Amino acid sequence: MQYSEKYLHLGEKVDVDENVICEYRVTTALSMEDAAAAIATEQSTGTWTELSTLSEDVFDRLSGKVIGIEGDRTTIAFPSDDFSLEVGGVPQILSVIAGNLFGLDALEGVRLEDVFFPASMIEEFPGPRFGIEGMRKILDRPKRPLVGTIVKPKIGLSPRETADYIYEAGMGGLTNSKDDETLVDQAFCPMDERVPAIAEAIDRVREETGHRMMHAVNISTRGDKVAEVAERVQELGATEIMIDVLTCGFAAIQVLAEDHSIKVPIHVHRTMHGAITRDPRHGVSMKTFAKLVRMCGGDALHIGTFGVGKMKGDPKEDLGNQSACVGDMGALKRVMPVCSGGLHPGMVDSLVKIGGTDLQIQAGGGVAGHPLGVRKGAMALSQAVEAAFQGITPSEYASDHRELAMALERWGLE
Ligand code: CAP
Ligand code: MG
């Protein structure tokens, strides 16, 4: 198959205010020129053959332009006019920058590594309402990493047991907790009972100690119910809501961020992302997803653990995810990067060394698996965060913090 050279504009400068610029990594037996042209044509004005219906004018205005090739990487610019933001939004953006191209038979692999949007496009999105600064303000925690837990086991606890877990976590010093991604409204833990019980537990922690905390209630559901469920749990006392971005879709976040009756932060989980982001030669980078989450209005987003925890990841990729959350992106607020997945107190020092202090560090097993239970587990994790914040080694801090010492003994230092 011959892909048209008309799509090649190598070395040309394009206006970054008028184009969405995408970087792809391509694995192919074709020449990179042909492979890149195949992507540009499929994703804009073309298809596999010349068209009698494609006018020069449409071609000039709307075709994707291959503006760079370097090794197995290519940069392609898609004119802003290719996009339909009001009706279309992120689903339509994805169909252009990350659509059919993945199925092209001529490419063995293609990965969307990064994307850059014009400022005028970014402005069309709400962005986070709270972000790092807003969440820190609610929690009265200006500088230290947020420190949280995921209620474990993932499923099975009753509303009372869930609330007790969160009370203990709060008494142990955690600022955040959340439902696990597979818990929504099952019969063993219905929202109508769980959410008020959690709210009461959080209030009790505040009354007894002055300590503030928020818990993200998982509202992941079908599209037509997202806003309704969010509003319902908010009425029941939810202090934060959680949504799974890849199973619910990016637009679900935007629906929540633009719903002014929702007045709590949105924690964005990324379950299933590994199916798309994990292969270095095929799929979409998490960094790309992070930019879209930020545009749609997520306040906190899972970015991985810099290769430290149980989930696949590495410092370079995860630092890229973090920079998508906090780097310059027009007027959009910064998203709180969440590190989660197989973490325990012995990993916190490494996390903070790599990722700094603008992080939400959370552990499920690494809290509930503490030999002395949830409260001591929460204390151990909080102590690890405090040590890292103060630049004290975990072992030194553990010498007069028994909970941390026990956690390090159980799980070691990494
Ligand atoms: C962490 C977690 C999160 C993972 C998902 C879990 O629990 O709740 O879902 O963090 O990975 O169920 O595994 P543990 P990621 O602390 O017990 O591992 O954040 O990379 O998307
Ligand atoms: Mg989970």
Side-chain angles (χ1 to χ4, degrees):
M1 195 170 303
Q2 207 57 44
Y3 289 110
S4 175
E5 281 183 13
K6 289 199 301 189
Y7 290 86
L8 296 179
H9 295 254
L10 294 172
E12 254 177 51
K13 285 254 171 295
V14 296
D15 187 346
V16 292
D17 291 327
E18 299 290 341
N19 288 274
V20 174
I21 315 278
C22 295
E23 292 174 2
Y24 299 96
R25 180 181 187 191
V26 187
T27 309
T28 180
L30 296 178
S31 71
M32 272 301 284
E33 283 77 7
D34 275 353
I39 297 171
T41 178
E42 177 64 32
Q43 299 309 124
S44 62
T45 51
T47 178
W48 56 275
T49 187
E50 292 289 320
L51 297 170
S52 62
T53 46
L54 177 60
S55 66
E56 277 306 310
D57 170 55
V58 167
F59 177 82
D60 288 344
R61 281 190 293 114
L62 302 179
S63 67
K65 294 180 177 57
V66 178
I67 54 172
I69 291 176
E70 225 186 296
D72 60 359
R73 314 265 164 164
T74 181
T75 306
I76 300 179
F78 296 102
S80 310
D81 285 350
D82 290 9
F83 298 90
S84 171
L85 296 189
E86 185 56 33
V87 179
V90 171
Q92 191 272 342
I93 292 176
L94 282 171
S95 77
V96 177
I97 68 173
N100 286 359
L101 62 100
F102 298 114
L104 288 173
D105 197 26
L107 311 181
E108 279 151 44
V110 53
R111 189 173 196 253
L112 173 55
E113 298 284 355
D114 206 350
V115 59
F116 301 88
F117 295 102
S120 58
M121 243 167 115
I122 292 171
E123 277 166 19
E124 296 294 317
F125 286 86
R129 207 171 320 155
F130 297 89
I132 294 180
E133 281 70 27
M135 289 182 68
R136 286 190 173 289
K137 200 164 166 217
I138 296 172
L139 294 166
D140 191 22
R141 193 165 170 102
K143 291 203 164 69
R144 289 168 167 72
L146 304 189
V147 55
T149 188
I150 310 99
V151 178
K152 298 282 171 179
K154 260 183 207 283
I155 51 167
L157 297 187
S158 67
R160 181 73 272 137
E161 289 166 329
T162 305
D164 289 347
Y165 182 116
I166 293 160
Y167 173 76
E168 291 295 306
M171 293 304 282
L174 300 191
T175 57
N176 291 76
S177 63
K178 69 172 206 58
D179 290 343
D180 225 323
E181 69 283 351
T182 56
L183 180 72
V184 185
D185 195 26
Q186 286 96 321
F188 56 80
C189 199
M191 279 173 161
D192 285 350
E193 291 171 39
R194 175 168 96 249
V195 180
I198 293 169
E200 187 272 332
I202 289 176
D203 286 349
R204 208 147 40 93
V205 171
R206 178 103 187 249
E207 279 156 27
E208 288 171 19
T209 64
H211 178 67
R212 296 190 200 181
M213 188 184 186
M214 60 171 78
H215 175 90
V217 178
N218 185 18
I219 58 135
S220 300
T221 188
R222 50 191 242 205
D224 62 331
K225 297 262 184 223
V226 164
E228 181 190 317
V229 178
E231 283 166 28
R232 185 171 120 220
V233 300
Q234 190 179 249
E235 265 167 40
L236 292 169
T239 41
E240 190 178 14
I241 49 181
M242 173 174 128
I243 189 138
D244 287 314
V245 59
L246 292 164
T247 54
C248 297
F250 290 85
I253 303 173
Q254 195 171 349
V255 162
L256 296 169
E258 288 181 349
D259 181 340
H260 287 285
S261 58
I262 307 290
K263 301 196 186 315
V264 294
I266 305 165
H267 180 109
V268 181
H269 195 280
R270 56 176 189 162
T271 195
M272 202 173 84
H273 81 93
I276 309 169
T277 63
R278 184 172 174 149
D279 187 339
R281 292 182 182 273
H282 192 77
V284 180
S285 69
M286 183 62 208
K287 185 180 195 182
T288 302
F289 288 152
K291 288 184 178 178
L292 294 171
V293 165
R294 186 172 178 187
M295 284 157 67
C296 289
D299 292 293
L301 171 68
H302 289 232
I303 60 150
T305 57
F306 310 115
V308 175
K310 75 177 180 188
M311 307 298 275
K312 179 85 181 153
D314 68 70
K316 193 167 163 266
E317 280 271 324
D318 296 351
L319 282 167
N321 305 341
Q322 184 182 26
S323 77
C325 288
V326 304
D328 194 26
M329 206 170 180
L332 299 190
K333 288 183 181 153
R334 301 186 304 150
V335 176
M336 174 62 80
V338 179
C339 293
S340 190
L343 296 180
H344 60 67
M347 293 170 168
V348 170
D349 193 56
S350 306
L351 281 183
V352 171
K353 281 205 173 92
I354 302 170
T357 50
D358 269 333
L359 294 176
Q360 177 171 327
I361 297 172
Q362 62 184 35
V367 166
H370 192 279
L372 298 182
V374 172
R375 186 183 303 210
K376 301 289 181 184
M379 287 171 74
L381 189 63
S382 306
Q383 290 161 3
V385 167
E386 188 58 30
F389 181 74
Q390 290 186 25
I392 301 170
T393 65
S395 311
E396 195 186 336
Y397 206 77
S399 64
D400 54 356
H401 292 88
R402 183 166 162 263
E403 295 77 16
L404 179 58
M406 288 183 79
L408 297 184
E409 205 174 293
R410 172 150 201 183
W411 292 305
L413 251 179
E414 288 179 45

